[in-house]
Amino acid sequence: MSTKLVTKTNSRLKGEIIIPADKSISHRAVMFSSLAKGISRIENFSKGADCLSTLGVFKSLGVNAEFKDEKTLIINSKNGIISPKNGLDCGNSGTTMRLMSGILAGQNFNSVLTGDESLSKRPMGRVIKPLELMGAKITSNEGRAPLNIFGQELMGIDYVSELASAQVKSCVLLAGLHANGTTSFTEPHLSRNHTELMLEYLGAKIPNFSAISESKTIIEKSELTPKTITVAGDISSAAFFIVAGLIVPNSEIILKNVGLNPTRTGILEVVKNMGADIEILDKKIVSNELVGDLKIKYSELKGCTIEGNIIPRLIDELPVIAVLATQARGTTIIKDAQDLRNKESDRIKAVVCELKKLGANIEETLDGFIIEGKTKLKGGVEVETYHDHRLAMSLYVAGLICEKPISINGFEWVNISFPEFEKIFESCM
Ligand code: S3P
């Protein structure tokens, strides 16, 4: 385990930062390119451990994948995927396990999905249930990994989900890609729609797809066409720089190549609402996804309430938004975020426990937090990451404004999504 000492930054944050590749889009790029028979090219692929887990799974399924340079991946899937010899290791990645179960349930071979200690504790019933309704045969450890998938012919269904979850939605749509007939997925609020956008880009039949407002998606059995996919920068990684830029006095930074898919930009709406000086400089479409640059300046902030249908649009940013709220005047209430307890750690408990150690005024509720600001964070303590990359990075950002240095135990977990995190932070100090 590595411990990272973070000391209050003496300098403001300044300069231009290129935000590395989006994790969600990188996973999907490997998955869908492997399903598209032929040669595909993925540009700006994320080399975070989670995306490498997905790549490893497809190599075990017989797909030929090679890096042409640091970030360009060529996928050669001439014969599609074949029966694996061993279990398929999803590592720490919930996205890999949940989306793979949708892909594998309809194949003509059996497979086993395994994960690390954290992933083996996370709920998989949410994907097993709709897949079984489609005719899938899956056994599990009481709704948890390992998942034994016995490939079956699947039938399309109309599934109405209680959860707004892109992982569940993607699982059902991917099963629908191979199922007989038509499959639909309806969710209470629209979750991230990278699956729909990329499947459409690769030629899948998604009738009446209107990218931003619909919370019902339909897919028909389809073949995918291999193409070049350029992965946008990850707004969830940008979030740490957005928050740091807003709370480290006198900062002014430009974040380049940030994915601005409206199903992911909840954080931008929230910080604007809190009084942030943040500007979108340039927008373009890259491989069916909206991308742009952001300019962020240190700002005086006020508390706000974050609830309802915005939650799935900023779910992964809530730990670092909690750090931000400690520096906003008044009360910030975050609710309707109970699923935070099912992430890489119980992020409600973990965030409250660790930010309290730093001196924050934060309380746990069943489905979120209540934070009073503005609080001077004292620091001078050891904090824990709970094997959770977003905890590690959120605590690092908090450390930049703590009066005394903090020691972050298990800092190496940042490698799950953002191996370049520290190097990029240091470049703008
Ligand atoms: C993801 C969806 C979200 C998110 C996760 C990545 C995806 O999970 O928290 O980090 O790539 O589809 P849920 O869909 O379970 O909310």
Side-chain angles (χ1 to χ4, degrees):
M1 183 177 77
S2 81
T3 296
K4 172 84 207 148
L5 189 74
V6 185
T7 309
K8 185 173 179 171
T9 168
N10 292 322
S11 66
R12 65 193 192 104
L13 304 183
K14 57 189 179 308
E16 278 191 8
I17 295 155
I18 298 172
I19 296 297
D22 190 274
K23 177 160 85 76
S24 290
I25 300 177
S26 294
H27 279 301
R28 287 156 172 85
V30 173
M31 291 177 180
F32 306 170
S33 296
S34 299
L35 295 178
K37 290 192 183 132
I39 297 177
S40 306
R41 181 185 170 95
I42 305 173
E43 292 176 346
N44 194 33
F45 178 71
S46 163
K47 279 194 161 167
D50 270 7
C51 295
L52 294 178
S53 290
T54 293
L55 188 56
V57 164
F58 278 97
K59 285 185 173 170
S60 303
L61 288 165
V63 170
N64 188 310
E66 265 170 38
F67 279 98
K68 196 162 176 282
D69 57 43
E70 191 49 31
K71 293 181 188 165
T72 308
L73 186 58
I74 306 295
I75 304 260
N76 185 344
S77 184
K78 245 192 256 151
N79 306 313
I81 55 175
I82 55 167
S83 176
K85 289 198 182 72
N86 299 306
L88 300 168
D89 182 5
C90 304
N92 188 250
S93 173
T95 306
T96 309
M97 186 167 284
R98 295 196 177 113
L99 273 59
M100 286 314 300
S101 57
I103 291 174
L104 294 169
Q107 301 297 331
N108 58 4
F109 55 78
N110 302 337
S111 49
V112 183
L113 292 171
T114 62
D116 72 3
E117 204 185 315
S118 148
L119 184 55
S120 304
K121 289 189 191 136
R122 294 177 65 187
M124 294 298 146
R126 56 182 64 190
V127 290
I128 297 172
K129 186 176 155 197
L131 289 175
E132 283 181 344
L133 290 172
M134 297 177 84
K137 281 216 171 94
I138 300 174
T139 62
S140 67
N141 178 16
E142 296 179 357
R144 289 172 165 66
L147 304 183
N148 295 286
I149 301 180
F150 304 93
Q152 299 291 315
E153 192 161 306
L154 304 180
M155 299 143 327
I157 48 164
D158 293 309
Y159 191 67
V160 180
S161 171
E162 283 167 18
L163 278 175
S165 161
Q167 294 182 350
V168 178
K169 171 171 65 180
S170 303
C171 167
V172 173
L173 295 178
L174 288 168
L177 197 63
H178 297 117
N180 293 318
T182 301
T183 297
S184 77
F185 185 89
T186 305
E187 54 188 342
H189 310 300
L190 183 64
S191 63
R192 67 189 67 186
N193 63 359
H194 304 300
T195 293
E196 300 89 301
L197 286 171
M198 198 182 292
L199 286 178
E200 191 196 45
Y201 178 69
L202 301 179
K205 292 180 209 146
I206 306 187
N208 309 323
F209 176 50
S210 92
I212 18 183
S213 58
E214 289 297 325
S215 49
K216 177 174 181 176
T217 313
I218 303 169
I219 192 161
E220 288 167 12
K221 188 172 185 165
S222 339
E223 292 289 328
L224 302 179
T225 312
K227 273 198 178 177
T228 295
I229 300 169
T230 303
V231 180
D234 197 330
I235 191 166
S236 299
S237 298
F240 302 103
F241 293 90
I242 294 173
V243 169
L246 291 173
I247 64 176
V248 172
N250 304 319
S251 295
E252 182 172 332
I253 44 176
I254 292 179
L255 309 180
K256 311 246 342 151
N257 191 38
V258 184
L260 295 175
N261 178 322
T263 63
R264 296 284 296 281
T265 49
I267 183 168
L268 302 184
E269 286 158 46
V270 162
V271 298
K272 271 194 189 144
N273 199 10
M274 294 172 86
D277 187 343
I278 180 165
E279 242 180 286
I280 299 177
L281 297 182
D282 189 20
K283 282 187 188 172
K284 57 183 187 240
I285 299 285
V286 177
S287 303
N288 236 8
E289 292 278 355
L290 187 62
V291 178
D293 299 340
L294 298 175
K295 183 175 187 179
I296 293 118
K297 286 189 192 160
Y298 171 74
S299 308
E300 292 294 335
L301 303 169
K302 55 182 192 309
C304 70
T305 298
I306 306 170
E307 62 184 331
N309 61 9
I310 199 167
I311 295 293
R313 298 173 50 228
L314 47 65
I315 186 80
D316 290 341
E317 288 66 79
L318 287 172
V320 79
I321 289 175
V323 174
L324 181 74
T326 68
Q327 302 310 302
R329 232 174 336 101
T331 312
T332 295
I333 301 173
I334 298 172
K335 49 184 175 183
D336 302 323
Q338 192 153 5
D339 210 32
L340 270 188
R341 296 192 185 276
N342 295 317
K343 297 294 176 186
E344 286 83 330
S345 67
D346 175 343
R347 286 187 177 155
I348 296 182
K349 216 176 214 39
V351 164
V352 170
C353 180
E354 300 313 302
L355 291 188
K356 266 193 174 162
K357 286 184 192 166
L358 300 181
N361 188 345
I362 179 167
E363 293 305 328
E364 175 176 348
T365 62
L366 201 64
D367 61 351
F369 321 93
I370 301 176
I371 303 152
E372 295 291 341
K374 178 176 182 172
T375 316
K376 270 211 161 94
L377 298 181
K378 293 193 192 73
V381 288
E382 277 186 31
V383 286
E384 305 301 326
T385 56
Y386 301 73
H387 302 183
D388 185 337
H389 55 129
R390 301 212 193 275
L391 251 291
M393 294 186 279
S394 302
L395 291 167
Y396 180 98
V397 172
L400 297 179
I401 55 157
C402 282
E403 299 288 292
K404 290 188 187 149
I406 64 169
S407 298
I408 306 175
N409 293 328
F411 188 70
E412 71 278 7
W413 285 92
V414 300
N415 293 327
I416 287 291
S417 62
F418 197 174
E420 315 86 338
F421 176 82
E422 209 188 338
K423 205 172 86 201
I424 298 185
F425 248 108
E426 283 171 357
S427 76
C428 63
M429 284 184 200

